[in-house]
Each structure stands twice: as C-alpha cells, then as structure tokens.
Coordinates of all heavy atoms in Angstrom, one line a residue:
M9 N 82.8 45.1 116.7 CA 82.1 44.8 118.1 C 82.8 45.6 119.3 O 82.1 46.1 120.1 CB 82.0 43.3 118.2 CG 81.0 42.9 119.4 SD 79.4 43.4 118.9 CE 78.7 43.5 120.6
K10 N 84.1 45.5 119.2 CA 84.8 46.1 120.2 C 84.6 47.6 120.3 O 84.4 48.2 121.3 CB 86.4 45.9 120.1 CG 87.1 45.3 121.2 CD 88.5 45.5 121.1 CE 89.3 44.3 120.3 NZ 90.6 44.5 120.3
Y11 N 84.4 48.3 119.0 CA 84.3 49.7 119.0 C 82.8 50.0 119.5 O 82.6 51.1 120.1 CB 84.5 50.2 117.6 CG 85.9 50.1 117.2 CD1 86.4 49.2 116.2 CD2 86.8 50.9 117.9 CE1 87.8 49.1 116.0 CE2 88.2 50.9 117.5 CZ 88.7 50.0 116.7 OH 89.9 49.9 116.3
A12 N 81.9 49.1 119.2 CA 80.5 49.4 119.7 C 80.5 49.4 121.2 O 79.8 50.3 121.8 CB 79.5 48.4 119.1
L13 N 81.1 48.6 121.7 CA 81.2 48.5 123.2 C 81.8 49.7 123.8 O 81.5 50.3 124.7 CB 82.0 47.2 123.7 CG 81.9 46.7 125.1 CD1 80.4 46.5 125.5 CD2 82.9 45.7 125.5
L14 N 82.9 50.1 123.2 CA 83.7 51.3 123.6 C 82.8 52.5 123.4 O 82.8 53.4 124.4 CB 84.9 51.5 122.8 CG 85.9 52.6 123.1 CD1 86.6 52.3 124.5 CD2 87.0 52.8 122.1
A15 N 82.1 52.6 122.4 CA 81.1 53.8 122.2 C 80.1 53.8 123.2 O 79.7 54.8 123.8 CB 80.5 53.7 120.7
V16 N 79.5 52.6 123.6 CA 78.4 52.5 124.6 C 79.0 53.0 125.9 O 78.4 53.8 126.6 CB 77.9 51.1 124.8 CG1 77.2 50.9 126.0 CG2 77.2 50.7 123.5
V17 N 80.2 52.5 126.3 CA 80.9 53.0 127.6 C 81.2 54.5 127.6 O 80.8 55.2 128.6 CB 82.3 52.1 127.7 CG1 83.0 52.7 128.9 CG2 81.9 50.7 128.0
L18 N 81.7 55.0 126.4 CA 81.9 56.4 126.4 C 80.7 57.2 126.6 O 80.5 58.2 127.2 CB 82.5 56.8 125.2 CG 84.1 56.4 125.1 CD1 84.7 56.8 123.7 CD2 84.8 57.2 126.1
L19 N 79.6 56.8 125.8 CA 78.2 57.4 126.0 C 77.6 57.4 127.3 O 77.2 58.4 127.8 CB 77.2 56.7 125.0 CG 77.1 57.4 123.5 CD1 76.1 56.5 122.8 CD2 76.5 58.8 123.7
A20 N 77.8 56.2 128.0 CA 77.3 56.2 129.4 C 78.0 57.2 130.3 O 77.6 57.8 131.1 CB 77.5 54.7 129.8
A21 N 79.5 57.1 130.1 CA 80.2 58.0 130.9 C 79.8 59.5 130.7 O 79.8 60.3 131.6 CB 81.7 57.9 130.6
F22 N 79.6 59.8 129.4 CA 79.2 61.2 129.0 C 77.9 61.5 129.8 O 77.7 62.6 130.4 CB 79.0 61.4 127.6 CG 78.3 62.7 127.2 CD1 79.1 63.8 127.2 CD2 77.1 62.6 126.7 CE1 78.5 65.0 126.8 CE2 76.5 63.9 126.4 CZ 77.2 65.1 126.4
F23 N 76.9 60.6 129.7 CA 75.6 61.0 130.3 C 75.7 61.0 131.8 O 75.1 61.9 132.4 CB 74.5 59.8 130.0 CG 73.9 60.0 128.4 CD1 74.3 59.1 127.5 CD2 73.3 61.2 128.2 CE1 73.8 59.3 126.2 CE2 72.8 61.4 126.9 CZ 73.0 60.4 126.0
I24 N 76.5 60.1 132.4 CA 76.7 60.2 133.9 C 77.3 61.6 134.2 O 77.0 62.2 135.1 CB 77.6 59.1 134.4 CG1 76.8 57.8 134.3 CG2 78.1 59.3 135.8 CD1 77.7 56.5 134.5
W25 N 78.4 62.0 133.5 CA 79.0 63.3 133.7 C 78.1 64.4 133.6 O 78.0 65.2 134.4 CB 80.2 63.4 132.7 CG 80.8 64.8 132.7 CD1 81.6 65.3 133.6 CD2 80.6 65.9 131.8 NE1 82.0 66.5 133.3 CE2 81.4 66.9 132.2 CE3 79.8 65.9 130.5 CZ2 81.4 68.2 131.5 CZ3 79.8 67.1 129.9 CH2 80.5 68.2 130.3
R26 N 77.3 64.4 132.6 CA 76.3 65.6 132.2 C 75.2 65.6 133.4 O 74.8 66.6 133.9 CB 75.6 65.3 130.9 CG 74.9 66.6 130.4 CD 74.4 66.4 129.0 NE 73.3 65.5 129.0 CZ 72.3 65.3 128.0 NH1 72.5 65.9 127.0 NH2 71.4 64.4 128.2
H27 N 74.7 64.3 133.8 CA 73.8 64.2 134.9 C 74.3 65.0 136.2 O 73.7 65.6 136.9 CB 73.4 62.8 135.1 CG 72.4 62.6 136.3 ND1 71.0 63.0 136.1 CD2 72.6 62.2 137.5 CE1 70.5 62.7 137.3 NE2 71.4 62.2 138.2
K28 N 75.6 64.5 136.4 CA 76.2 65.0 137.8 C 76.3 66.5 137.7 O 76.2 67.2 138.7 CB 77.5 64.4 138.0 CG 77.3 62.9 138.4 CD 78.6 62.3 139.1 CE 78.3 61.0 139.8 NZ 79.5 60.4 140.2
R29 N 76.7 67.0 136.4 CA 77.0 68.6 136.4 C 75.7 69.2 136.5 O 75.6 70.3 137.2 CB 77.5 68.7 134.9 CG 78.3 70.2 134.8 CD 78.8 70.3 133.4 NE 77.7 70.4 132.5 CZ 77.8 71.2 131.3 NH1 78.9 71.7 131.0 NH2 76.7 71.2 130.5
R30 N 74.6 68.7 135.9 CA 73.3 69.4 136.1 C 72.9 69.3 137.5 O 72.3 70.3 138.0 CB 72.2 68.6 135.3 CG 72.4 69.1 133.7 CD 71.2 68.4 133.0 NE 71.3 68.8 131.5 CZ 70.6 68.2 130.6 NH1 69.8 67.2 130.9 NH2 70.8 68.6 129.5
Q31 N 73.1 68.2 138.2 CA 72.7 68.1 139.6 C 73.5 69.1 140.5 O 72.9 69.8 141.3 CB 73.0 66.7 140.1 CG 72.2 66.2 141.2 CD 72.5 64.7 141.5 OE1 73.6 64.1 141.1 NE2 71.6 64.0 142.0
R32 N 74.7 69.3 140.2 CA 75.5 70.3 140.9 C 75.1 71.7 140.7 O 75.0 72.5 141.5 CB 77.0 70.1 140.4 CG 78.0 71.1 141.1 CD 79.5 70.6 141.2 NE 80.3 71.6 141.6 CZ 80.3 72.1 142.8 NH1 79.4 71.7 143.8 NH2 81.1 73.2 143.1
Q33 N 74.7 72.0 139.5 CA 74.2 73.2 139.2 C 73.0 73.6 139.8 O 72.7 74.6 140.5 CB 74.0 73.5 137.5 CG 75.2 73.8 136.8 CD 75.1 73.8 135.3 OE1 74.0 73.3 134.8 NE2 76.0 74.4 134.5
R34 N 72.0 72.6 139.8 CA 70.7 72.6 140.7 C 71.1 73.0 142.2 O 70.5 73.8 142.8 CB 69.9 71.5 140.4 CG 68.7 71.7 139.5 CD 67.8 70.6 139.8 NE 68.2 69.2 139.8 CZ 68.5 68.5 138.7 NH1 68.3 69.0 137.5 NH2 68.9 67.3 138.7
E35 N 72.0 72.2 142.7 CA 72.4 72.4 144.1 C 72.9 73.9 144.4 O 72.4 74.5 145.3 CB 73.4 71.3 144.5 CG 72.8 70.0 144.7 CD 73.9 68.9 144.9 OE1 75.0 69.3 145.0 OE2 73.5 67.8 145.0
L36 N 73.7 74.3 143.4 CA 74.3 75.6 143.5 C 73.2 76.6 143.5 O 73.1 77.6 144.3 CB 75.3 75.9 142.6 CG 76.7 75.2 142.8 CD1 77.6 75.6 141.6 CD2 77.4 75.8 144.0
Q37 N 72.3 76.4 142.6 CA 71.1 77.5 142.5 C 70.3 77.5 143.7 O 69.8 78.4 144.3 CB 70.3 77.1 141.3 CG 70.9 77.6 140.0 CD 70.1 76.9 138.8 OE1 69.2 76.2 138.8 NE2 70.5 77.5 137.6
Q38 N 70.1 76.2 144.3 CA 69.2 76.1 145.5 C 69.8 76.8 146.6 O 69.3 77.5 147.5 CB 68.9 74.7 145.8 CG 67.8 74.1 145.0 CD 67.7 72.6 145.2 OE1 68.5 71.9 145.9 NE2 66.7 72.0 144.6
Q39 N 71.3 76.5 146.8 CA 72.0 77.3 147.8 C 71.9 78.7 147.8 O 71.7 79.4 148.7 CB 73.4 76.8 147.9 CG 73.7 75.4 148.4 CD 75.1 74.9 148.2 OE1 75.9 75.8 147.7 NE2 75.3 73.7 148.7
Q40 N 72.0 79.2 146.6 CA 72.0 80.7 146.3 C 70.7 81.3 146.7 O 70.5 82.3 147.4 CB 72.4 81.0 144.9 CG 72.8 82.5 144.8 CD 73.2 82.7 143.3 OE1 73.1 81.8 142.5 NE2 73.6 84.0 142.9
A41 N 69.6 80.6 146.3 CA 68.3 81.0 146.6 C 68.0 81.0 148.0 O 67.4 81.9 148.6 CB 67.2 80.1 145.9
Q42 N 68.6 79.9 148.7 CA 68.3 79.9 150.2 C 69.1 81.0 150.8 O 68.6 81.6 151.8 CB 69.0 78.5 150.6 CG 68.8 78.3 152.1 CD 67.3 78.1 152.6 OE1 66.5 77.4 151.8 NE2 66.9 78.7 153.6
R43 N 70.3 81.3 150.4 CA 71.0 82.4 151.0 C 70.3 83.8 150.8 O 70.2 84.6 151.6 CB 72.4 82.5 150.4 CG 73.5 81.9 151.1 CD 74.9 82.4 150.6 NE 75.1 82.2 149.4 CZ 75.6 81.1 148.7 NH1 75.8 80.1 149.5 NH2 75.9 81.0 147.4
Q44 N 69.7 84.0 149.6 CA 69.0 85.2 149.3 C 67.8 85.3 150.3 O 67.4 86.3 150.8 CB 68.6 85.3 147.8 CG 69.8 85.6 147.0 CD 69.5 85.5 145.4 OE1 68.5 84.9 145.1 NE2 70.3 86.0 144.6
A45 N 67.0 84.1 150.4 CA 65.8 84.1 151.2 C 66.2 84.4 152.6 O 65.5 85.2 153.4 CB 65.2 82.7 151.1
T46 N 67.3 83.8 153.1 CA 67.7 84.1 154.5 C 68.1 85.6 154.7 O 67.7 86.2 155.7 CB 69.0 83.2 154.7 OG1 68.8 81.9 154.6 CG2 69.4 83.3 156.3
E47 N 68.8 86.2 153.7 CA 69.1 87.6 153.8 C 67.8 88.5 153.8 O 67.8 89.4 154.6 CB 70.0 87.9 152.5 CG 70.5 89.3 152.6 CD 71.4 89.7 153.7 OE1 72.0 88.9 154.3 OE2 71.5 91.0 153.9
R48 N 66.9 88.1 153.0 CA 65.7 88.9 152.9 C 65.0 88.8 154.3 O 64.5 89.8 154.7 CB 64.7 88.4 151.8 CG 64.7 89.1 150.6 CD 63.5 88.9 149.7 NE 63.3 87.5 149.5 CZ 63.9 86.7 148.7 NH1 64.7 87.3 147.7 NH2 63.7 85.4 148.5
E49 N 64.9 87.5 154.9 CA 64.2 87.4 156.1 C 64.9 88.2 157.2 O 64.3 88.8 158.0 CB 64.2 85.9 156.5 CG 63.1 85.1 155.9 CD 63.1 83.7 156.4 OE1 63.7 83.4 157.5 OE2 62.6 82.9 155.5
R50 N 66.2 88.2 157.1 CA 67.1 88.9 158.1 C 66.7 90.4 158.0 O 66.5 91.1 159.0 CB 68.5 88.6 157.8 CG 69.3 88.9 159.2 CD 70.9 88.8 158.8 NE 71.4 89.7 157.8 CZ 71.6 91.0 157.9 NH1 71.5 91.5 159.0 NH2 72.0 91.8 156.9
Q51 N 66.6 90.9 156.8 CA 66.3 92.3 156.6 C 64.9 92.7 157.0 O 64.7 93.6 157.7 CB 66.6 92.7 155.2 CG 68.0 92.8 154.9 CD 68.2 93.1 153.3 OE1 67.3 93.0 152.6 NE2 69.5 93.4 153.0
L52 N 64.0 91.8 156.7 CA 62.5 92.0 157.1 C 62.3 91.9 158.6 O 61.6 92.5 159.1 CB 61.6 91.0 156.3 CG 61.5 91.3 154.8 CD1 60.6 90.2 154.2 CD2 60.8 92.6 154.6
G53 N 63.2 91.0 159.1 CA 62.9 90.7 160.6 C 63.5 91.8 161.5 O 63.1 91.9 162.6
Q54 N 64.3 92.7 160.9 CA 65.0 93.7 161.7 C 63.9 94.8 162.0 O 63.2 95.4 161.1 CB 66.1 94.5 160.9 CG 67.3 93.6 160.8 CD 68.0 93.5 162.0 OE1 68.0 94.4 162.9 NE2 68.7 92.4 162.2
P55 N 63.5 95.0 163.3 CA 62.6 96.1 163.6 C 63.2 97.4 163.2 O 64.3 97.7 163.5 CB 62.4 95.9 165.0 CG 63.6 95.1 165.6 CD 64.2 94.4 164.4
V56 N 62.4 98.4 162.7 CA 62.7 99.6 162.4 C 62.2 100.6 163.5 O 60.9 100.5 163.7 CB 62.3 100.1 161.0 CG1 62.6 101.6 160.7 CG2 63.0 99.2 160.0
A57 N 63.0 101.3 164.1 CA 62.4 102.3 165.1 C 61.6 103.4 164.4 O 62.0 104.0 163.5 CB 63.6 102.9 165.8
M58 N 60.4 103.6 165.0 CA 59.5 104.5 164.4 C 59.3 105.7 165.3 O 59.4 105.5 166.5 CB 58.1 103.8 164.0 CG 58.2 102.7 163.1 SD 58.6 103.1 161.4 CE 57.0 103.9 160.8
T59 N 58.9 106.9 164.7 CA 58.5 107.9 165.5 C 57.4 108.6 165.0 O 56.9 108.2 163.9 CB 59.7 108.8 165.7 OG1 59.5 109.9 166.8 CG2 60.1 109.6 164.4
R60 N 56.8 109.7 165.6 CA 55.7 110.3 165.2 C 56.0 111.8 165.2 O 56.6 112.4 166.1 CB 54.6 110.0 166.3 CG 53.2 110.5 166.0 CD 52.2 109.8 166.9 NE 50.9 110.3 166.7 CZ 50.5 111.4 167.3 NH1 51.1 111.8 168.3 NH2 49.3 111.8 167.1
C61 N 55.5 112.4 164.1 CA 55.7 113.9 163.9 C 54.8 114.7 164.9 O 53.7 114.4 165.1 CB 55.3 114.2 162.5 SG 55.3 116.2 162.3
R62 N 55.4 115.5 165.8 CA 54.8 116.2 166.9 C 53.7 117.2 166.3 O 52.8 117.6 167.1 CB 55.8 117.0 167.8 CG 56.3 116.1 168.9 CD 57.3 117.0 169.7 NE 56.6 118.2 170.3 CZ 56.1 118.1 171.5 NH1 56.1 117.1 172.2 NH2 55.4 119.3 172.0
H63 N 54.0 117.5 165.1 CA 53.1 118.6 164.5 C 51.8 118.0 163.7 O 50.6 118.3 164.0 CB 53.9 119.4 163.5 CG 52.9 120.5 162.9 ND1 52.6 121.6 163.7 CD2 52.5 120.8 161.7 CE1 51.9 122.4 162.9 NE2 51.8 121.9 161.7
C64 N 52.1 116.9 162.9 CA 51.0 116.4 162.2 C 50.6 115.0 162.5 O 49.6 114.4 162.0 CB 51.3 116.5 160.6 SG 52.6 115.4 160.1
G65 N 51.4 114.3 163.3 CA 51.1 113.0 163.8 C 51.6 111.9 162.9 O 51.3 110.7 163.0
L66 N 52.1 112.3 161.7 CA 52.6 111.2 160.7 C 53.7 110.3 161.4 O 54.6 110.8 162.2 CB 53.4 111.9 159.6 CG 53.9 111.1 158.6 CD1 52.8 110.5 157.6 CD2 54.9 111.8 157.7
H67 N 53.5 109.0 161.2 CA 54.5 108.0 161.7 C 55.5 107.8 160.6 O 55.3 107.8 159.4 CB 53.8 106.7 162.0 CG 53.1 106.6 163.2 ND1 51.8 107.0 163.3 CD2 53.5 106.5 164.6 CE1 51.4 107.0 164.6 NE2 52.4 106.5 165.3
L68 N 56.8 107.9 161.0 CA 57.9 107.7 160.0 C 59.2 107.1 160.8 O 59.2 107.1 162.0 CB 58.3 108.9 159.4 CG 59.0 110.1 160.2 CD1 59.7 111.1 159.3 CD2 58.1 110.8 161.1
P69 N 60.0 106.4 160.0 CA 61.1 105.8 160.6 C 62.0 107.0 161.3 O 62.2 108.0 160.8 CB 61.9 105.2 159.4 CG 61.0 105.1 158.3 CD 60.0 106.1 158.5
L70 N 62.5 106.5 162.5 CA 63.3 107.5 163.3 C 64.5 108.1 162.5 O 64.9 109.2 162.7 CB 63.9 106.7 164.5 CG 64.5 107.6 165.6 CD1 63.5 108.8 166.1 CD2 64.8 106.8 166.8
A71 N 65.1 107.2 161.7 CA 66.3 107.6 160.9 C 65.9 108.7 159.9 O 66.8 109.6 159.5 CB 66.9 106.5 160.0
E72 N 64.7 108.8 159.4 CA 64.3 109.9 158.4 C 63.7 111.0 159.2 O 63.2 112.1 158.4 CB 63.2 109.2 157.5 CG 63.9 108.1 156.6 CD 62.8 107.4 155.8 OE1 61.7 108.0 155.5 OE2 63.0 106.3 155.5
A73 N 63.5 111.1 160.5 CA 62.7 112.2 161.2 C 63.6 113.2 161.3 O 65.0 113.1 161.4 CB 62.3 111.6 162.5
T74 N 63.1 114.4 161.5 CA 63.9 115.7 161.7 C 63.8 115.9 163.3 O 62.8 115.9 163.8 CB 63.3 116.9 161.0 OG1 63.3 116.7 159.6 CG2 64.1 118.1 161.3
Q75 N 64.9 115.9 163.9 CA 65.0 116.2 165.3 C 64.9 117.6 165.7 O 65.5 118.5 165.1 CB 66.4 115.8 165.9 CG 66.6 115.9 167.3 CD 65.8 115.0 168.2 OE1 65.9 113.8 168.1 NE2 65.1 115.5 169.1
G76 N 63.9 117.9 166.6 CA 63.6 119.2 167.1 C 64.0 119.4 168.6 O 64.4 118.3 169.2
K77 N 63.7 120.4 169.2 CA 64.0 120.6 170.6 C 63.0 119.9 171.5 O 63.3 119.4 172.5 CB 64.0 122.2 171.0 CG 65.3 122.9 170.7 CD 65.1 124.3 171.1 CE 64.5 125.0 169.9 NZ 64.3 126.4 169.8
L78 N 61.7 119.8 170.9 CA 60.5 119.2 171.7 C 60.4 117.7 171.3 O 59.6 117.0 171.9 CB 59.4 120.0 171.5 CG 59.4 121.4 171.9 CD1 58.2 122.2 171.5 CD2 59.7 121.6 173.4
G79 N 60.9 117.3 170.2 CA 60.7 116.0 169.7 C 61.0 115.8 168.2 O 62.0 116.6 167.7
H80 N 60.4 114.7 167.5 CA 60.7 114.5 166.2 C 59.6 115.1 165.3 O 58.4 115.2 165.6 CB 60.8 113.0 166.0 CG 62.0 112.4 166.8 ND1 61.7 111.6 167.9 CD2 63.2 112.5 166.6 CE1 62.9 111.3 168.4 NE2 63.8 111.8 167.6
Y81 N 60.0 115.4 164.0 CA 59.1 115.9 163.1 C 59.4 115.3 161.7 O 60.5 114.7 161.5 CB 59.3 117.5 162.9 CG 59.0 118.2 164.3 CD1 60.1 118.4 165.0 CD2 57.8 118.5 164.6 CE1 60.0 119.0 166.2 CE2 57.6 119.2 165.8 CZ 58.7 119.4 166.6 OH 58.5 120.0 168.0
C82 N 58.2 115.3 160.9 CA 58.4 114.7 159.5 C 59.2 115.6 158.5 O 59.7 115.1 157.7 CB 57.0 114.5 158.9 SG 56.1 116.0 158.6
G83 N 59.6 116.8 159.0 CA 60.4 117.6 158.1 C 60.7 119.0 158.8 O 60.0 119.3 159.8
P84 N 61.7 119.8 158.3 CA 61.9 121.0 158.8 C 60.9 122.0 159.0 O 60.7 122.8 159.9 CB 63.1 121.6 157.9 CG 63.4 120.6 156.9 CD 62.5 119.5 157.1
E85 N 59.8 122.0 158.0 CA 58.7 122.8 157.9 C 57.9 122.7 159.3 O 57.5 123.6 160.0 CB 57.8 122.6 156.8 CG 58.5 123.0 155.5 CD 59.3 121.9 154.9 OE1 59.1 120.7 155.3 OE2 60.2 122.1 154.0
H86 N 57.5 121.4 159.6 CA 56.7 121.1 160.7 C 57.5 121.4 162.0 O 57.0 121.8 163.1 CB 56.3 119.7 160.7 CG 55.2 119.5 159.8 ND1 54.4 118.4 159.6 CD2 54.5 120.4 158.9 CE1 53.4 118.5 158.6 NE2 53.5 119.8 158.3
R87 N 58.8 121.3 162.0 CA 59.6 121.6 163.2 C 59.4 123.1 163.4 O 59.3 123.6 164.5 CB 61.1 121.3 163.0 CG 61.9 121.6 164.2 CD 63.3 121.2 164.1 NE 63.9 121.9 163.0 CZ 65.2 121.7 162.6 NH1 65.8 120.8 163.0 NH2 65.6 122.5 161.5
Q88 N 59.5 123.8 162.3 CA 59.5 125.3 162.5 C 58.0 125.7 162.9 O 57.9 126.5 163.9 CB 59.7 125.9 161.0 CG 60.5 127.2 161.1 CD 61.1 127.6 159.7 OE1 60.7 127.0 158.7 NE2 62.0 128.6 159.7
H89 N 57.0 125.1 162.3 CA 55.6 125.4 162.8 C 55.4 125.2 164.2 O 54.8 125.9 164.9 CB 54.7 124.6 162.1 CG 54.2 125.1 160.7 ND1 53.3 126.2 160.6 CD2 54.6 124.8 159.4 CE1 53.3 126.4 159.3 NE2 53.9 125.7 158.6
A90 N 56.0 124.0 164.6 CA 55.6 123.6 166.2 C 56.5 124.3 167.1 O 56.0 124.6 168.2 CB 55.8 122.0 166.2
E91 N 57.7 124.8 166.8 CA 58.6 125.2 167.8 C 58.8 126.8 167.6 O 59.5 127.4 168.5 CB 59.9 124.5 167.6 CG 59.8 123.0 168.0 CD 61.1 122.3 168.1 OE1 62.2 123.0 167.9 OE2 61.1 121.1 168.4
N92 N 58.1 127.3 166.6 CA 58.3 128.9 166.6 C 57.0 129.6 166.8 O 56.0 128.9 166.5 CB 59.0 129.3 165.3 CG 60.4 128.9 165.2 OD1 61.0 128.9 166.2 ND2 60.8 128.4 164.0
Ligands
LIG16 ZN1 54.6 116.6 160.3

C-alpha cells in the first residue's frame, strides 16, 4: 500500500512537471512569435523614400535610383537618353 501511494505521488509530480514544461514552451513560442511580429511591423512601418524616373516616369525606391545631373532615373540608359 505504501508503494502504491509513492507511485501515485511520483506520477502526480511527473504530470505536474510535464504540464509546467509544456506551458513554458508555449510561452517561449508566443514570445518569439510576438518578437517576430513586432520586427515585421517595424520593417513594414518604415517609410521608403520613393522617386520618379525623369525619363519614363517609373516610381522606384530612392536607394535603387540612378542619380543624374537633372534628377533621378530608373537606370543608366534612361539617364543617358534624358541628359544627352
Ligand atoms: Zn526610366
């Protein structure tokens, strides 16, 4: 009878331990998902400076534009067309 009681106590301790471990894993996963969502929002929320090609009118990010004497272009070909 003593052993049966001991087995019940050990089983209960095991189930409690397992439950807490799963709960902790879930919390960690939620925290990670939250961090990723925040990072995504931060990146999406950043405004990107846009510009317009002086030759064809294409809108493109300023960082990808080709700088000319008269303004921005979508590529070196259009800079050449417009400025020569
Ligand atoms: Zn262009």
Side-chain angles (χ1 to χ4, degrees):
M9 190 60 202
K10 236 199 265 182
Y11 291 110
L13 191 67
L14 186 67
V16 168
V17 169
L18 284 176
L19 264 177
F22 171 74
F23 281 116
I24 290 169
W25 171 77
R26 200 176 65 169
H27 176 75
K28 286 193 170 174
R29 200 180 65 152
R30 283 183 179 170
Q31 208 171 27
R32 176 153 171 69
Q33 281 176 341
R34 253 198 312 274
E35 282 171 8
L36 285 175
Q37 283 173 351
Q38 282 173 353
Q39 282 174 2
Q40 196 174 6
Q42 184 64 44
R43 265 199 301 275
Q44 285 172 349
T46 306
E47 178 66 19
R48 256 197 315 276
E49 269 177 32
R50 200 183 62 75
Q51 285 174 351
L52 286 176
Q54 288 289 327
V56 176
M58 299 293 283
T59 190
R60 193 166 170 266
C61 174
R62 271 183 63 90
H63 185 69
C64 68
L66 179 80
H67 284 90
L68 70 162
L70 190 58
E72 294 173 24
T74 301
Q75 176 70 54
K77 281 178 278 196
L78 303 175
H80 298 107
Y81 301 92
C82 62
E85 294 87 14
H86 281 184
R87 180 180 61 188
Q88 219 164 13
H89 271 286
E91 297 190 355
N92 291 323

